Amino acid sequence: MSVAILFSGGKDSTMAVYAALEAKEDVKYLLSMKSKNDESYMFHVPNIHVTDLLSEALDIPIMSVETEGVKEEELEDLKAAFVELKNLGVEAIYTGALYSVYQKSRIEKLGDEVGLEIISPYWHVDELEYMRKIVSLGFKIMICGVAAWGLDESWLGRIIDDGTIDELVKLNEKYHVDIAFEGGEAETLAVDGPIFKKRIEILKYKKEWHLDSGVFIIEDAVLREK
């Protein structure tokens, strides 16, 4: 089946690419929604510009669509992108949805309206097992935004490993931090993995911290051979 991946460059949409490839789907496109609104309800924002480089790293063409990121109105931009993908022969959209009913229900409604199947391979996955799987498969996932008790500036730029997950389990017990960040506790970016033809090397970045939250902003990055 010809499919596209709703792709932000974070761990979940990258794992959606992995799932589609494992299912032997014909992955035609990545669809990246680039919101101008940092508070978008639907779309990942931190380092969304890196998706163009990730497209090259994964060797999958990307369709980038700008949106103002206004609540509900941004869905019309997504619908227009779905229509274009369908016209290009895409039959289904893979998403990295885990537990967000808000996002999943709206994406599925648009899929029904346009005539595209929506596939969310990790819906209601066991979050701890899922995070362990990401690491065991060899994905390199960077934390590029934090906004939760227990996650301070030192977490920005960290690559998730088993030790990181162990810390998250403890933070979950103490502060109820979601292990897979489904409560918006953190944002992530994939920089390498088993499905990557090349890896991302970050050359320049800055950290911005505001009282109890912060972001790791990539200012320059290149692809390197593996």
Side-chain angles (χ1 to χ4, degrees):
M1 184 163 57
S2 294
V3 306
I5 316 294
L6 189 55
F7 186 73
S8 69
K11 62 178 175 58
D12 302 327
S13 62
T14 300
M15 285 297 287
V17 179
Y18 174 81
L21 293 172
E22 283 292 289
K24 308 300 182 185
E25 306 282 26
D26 182 9
V27 181
K28 293 289 191 182
Y29 301 98
L30 306 175
L31 171 59
S32 176
M33 302 297 295
K34 297 184 175 180
S35 174
K36 296 179 182 179
N37 178 11
D38 290 345
E39 305 301 323
S40 170
Y41 278 74
M42 281 294 297
F43 306 123
H44 173 107
V45 175
N47 296 307
I48 192 67
H49 62 284
V50 182
T51 53
D52 295 331
L53 204 58
L54 287 168
S55 165
E56 189 177 345
L58 291 163
D59 194 26
I60 301 172
I62 191 166
M63 177 187 292
S64 296
V65 178
E66 283 198 353
T67 175
E68 293 296 329
V70 178
K71 188 178 180 182
E72 298 303 333
E73 290 180 18
E74 60 192 353
L75 295 172
E76 291 302 314
D77 298 321
L78 181 59
K79 183 177 181 178
F82 278 9
V83 169
E84 186 173 351
L85 286 169
K86 184 174 176 61
N87 290 338
L88 289 169
V90 168
E91 301 166 85
I93 305 290
Y94 270 69
T95 88
L98 300 184
Y99 283 88
S100 174
V101 173
Y102 179 90
Q103 292 176 329
K104 185 171 182 282
S105 63
R106 281 158 177 77
I107 292 169
E108 289 180 344
K109 182 175 184 291
L110 294 181
D112 286 341
E113 291 173 0
V114 173
L116 289 172
E117 182 181 355
I118 305 298
I119 301 171
S120 300
Y122 301 106
W123 185 244
H124 283 189
V125 71
D126 179 285
E127 292 177 305
L128 181 55
E129 289 181 9
Y130 173 67
M131 293 294 279
R132 296 287 190 201
K133 178 178 180 178
I134 292 172
V135 171
S136 68
L137 287 171
F139 283 97
K140 304 300 181 186
I141 306 296
M142 174 181 286
I143 295 174
C144 58
V146 295
W149 286 106
L151 300 179
D152 60 22
E153 191 173 356
S154 69
W155 284 74
L156 294 175
R158 284 181 63 171
I159 298 294
I160 297 173
D161 58 17
D162 282 320
T164 306
I165 298 170
D166 291 341
E167 289 182 59
L168 288 170
V169 170
K170 292 178 181 177
L171 289 174
N172 172 265
E173 294 169 354
K174 187 173 183 179
Y175 298 116
H176 304 292
V177 170
D178 190 285
I179 295 168
F181 310 139
E182 272 295 279
E185 291 89 346
E187 301 283 0
T188 60
L189 183 76
V191 295
D192 197 4
I195 57 177
F196 282 59
K197 305 298 190 293
K198 296 180 180 180
R199 63 181 177 84
I200 302 286
E201 181 177 323
I202 298 166
L203 301 179
K204 186 179 180 183
Y205 67 89
K206 65 179 178 180
K207 294 182 181 181
E208 292 185 353
W209 189 257
H210 308 284
L211 297 177
D212 58 359
S213 64
V215 290
F216 180 100
I217 300 172
I218 296 171
E219 297 181 313
D220 191 18
V222 295
L223 295 180
R224 298 295 190 199
E225 298 295 333
K226 297 175 63 173

